[in-house]
Amino acid sequence: EDQVTQSPEALRLQEGESSSLNCSYTVSGLRGLFWYRQDPGKGPEFLFTLYSAGEEKEKERLKATLTKKESFLHITAPKPEDSATYLCAVRPDSWGKLQFGAGTQVVVTP
Amino acid sequence: EPEVTQTPSHQVTQMGQEVILRCVPISNHLYFYWYRQILGQKVEFLVSFYNNEISEKSEIFDDQFSVERPDGSNFTLKIRSTKLEDSAMYFCASSEGGGDTQYFGPGTRLTVL
């Protein structure tokens, strides 16, 4: 059975304190791994797509990496506006459907 | 920047009533999706739609649910007879191709009393 597990469930950071979020997955095939940011009561906001092991994508203070079994989202020198829930989703070996993890809730305090 | 829009933002209904949730996908996108998120739980796939047909649906998407693209811009999700457990945030998403990134709307919060 396809599974997506994110850790930790919650993370509290001081402003400027870098950290990493983990997304481990077991799927029959992988046609993309996606990172989204979700603010309370809002829809997921797209951050990155990764397709193959070794791939890296970067945007401002965020960097996503992918291996054959997991992905990391690195947050460098976070600011309070980076506070959100970060969702990982995989597209298994079929077109379209995304399978989401439970998310990591990040709180960055000044 | 193009975005997916959804209406209404909040819908309150009585158990057993029919509701229609509306979405306007990004204009050049061809694939459309509905997901839902029960409070405190994961985002769950409901259905994907392409070329005026359902291409995939989950176990959640039973006979009470239907989708339609009534015109060139709207995409709707209908729940025929709502249950208490249908209370959730419903998200519409669209993508240019089936293998492309999905962009999500802001959601409709459905409350069934």
Side-chain angles (χ1 to χ4, degrees), chain A:
Chain A
E1 185 182 329
D2 298 334
Q3 278 200 327
V4 182
T5 304
Q6 291 189 245
S7 61
E9 290 182 9
L11 190 59
R12 193 172 184 88
L13 300 171
Q14 290 282 332
E15 185 171 1
E17 178 188 359
S18 302
S19 189
S20 295
L21 316 182
N22 177 263
C23 171
S24 62
Y25 60 91
T26 54
V27 294
S28 52
L30 185 69
R31 294 184 185 270
L33 184 141
F34 303 82
W35 283 98
Y36 290 86
R37 168 194 170 123
Q38 187 176 32
D39 292 307
K42 303 286 179 63
E45 177 188 341
F46 171 69
L47 294 173
F48 303 110
T49 306
L50 301 165
Y51 286 104
S52 54
E55 193 174 356
E56 297 184 354
K57 294 274 179 73
E58 203 164 345
K59 177 182 175 181
E60 297 181 356
R61 295 177 293 282
L62 301 177
K63 179 179 175 180
T65 62
L66 180 64
T67 71
K68 286 187 179 178
K69 293 294 181 187
E70 58 190 351
S71 177
F72 292 93
L73 184 66
H74 308 278
I75 310 178
T76 302
K79 298 182 177 182
E81 53 261 43
D82 295 322
S83 298
T85 296
Y86 292 86
L87 304 175
C88 169
V90 299
R91 184 161 52 216
D93 203 12
S94 63
W95 293 108
K97 176 180 73 177
L98 294 182
Q99 185 165 344
F100 281 83
T104 293
Q105 184 180 24
V106 174
V107 174
V108 183
T109 55

Side-chain angles (χ1 to χ4, degrees), chain A residues 4 31 34 36 38 41-44 46 49 51 87 91 94-98 100-102, chain B residues 33 35 37 42-45 48 56 89 91 98-107 109:
Chain A
V4 182
R31 294 184 185 270
F34 303 82
Y36 290 86
Q38 187 176 32
K42 303 286 179 63
F46 171 69
T49 306
Y51 286 104
L87 304 175
R91 184 161 52 216
S94 63
W95 293 108
K97 176 180 73 177
L98 294 182
F100 281 83
Chain B
Y33 313 86
Y35 292 80
Q37 187 176 30
K42 295 182 183 183
V43 176
E44 302 174 287
F45 169 78
S48 59
E56 190 175 5
M89 281 287 281
F91 297 111
D100 294 329
T101 296
Q102 294 176 26
Y103 294 89
F104 284 74
R109 178 172 299 282

Side-chain angles (χ1 to χ4, degrees), chain B residues 65-102:
Chain B
F65 291 88
S66 62
V67 289
E68 192 179 29
R69 187 151 164 84
D71 54 44
S73 58
N74 289 283
F75 179 51
T76 62
L77 174 69
K78 182 192 291 186
I79 309 175
R80 288 190 183 82
S81 179
T82 49
K83 306 183 183 80
L84 295 176
E85 54 264 38
D86 293 328
S87 294
M89 281 287 281
Y90 287 82
F91 297 111
C92 174
S94 68
S95 65
E96 200 167 343
D100 294 329
T101 296
Q102 294 176 26

Side-chain angles (χ1 to χ4, degrees), chain B residues 45-63:
Chain B
F45 169 78
L46 293 178
V47 65
S48 59
F49 190 86
Y50 168 71
N51 200 26
N52 279 320
E53 288 183 346
I54 291 174
S55 45
E56 190 175 5
K57 59 184 181 179
S58 71
E59 292 176 355
I60 303 168
F61 194 88
D62 61 21
D63 292 343

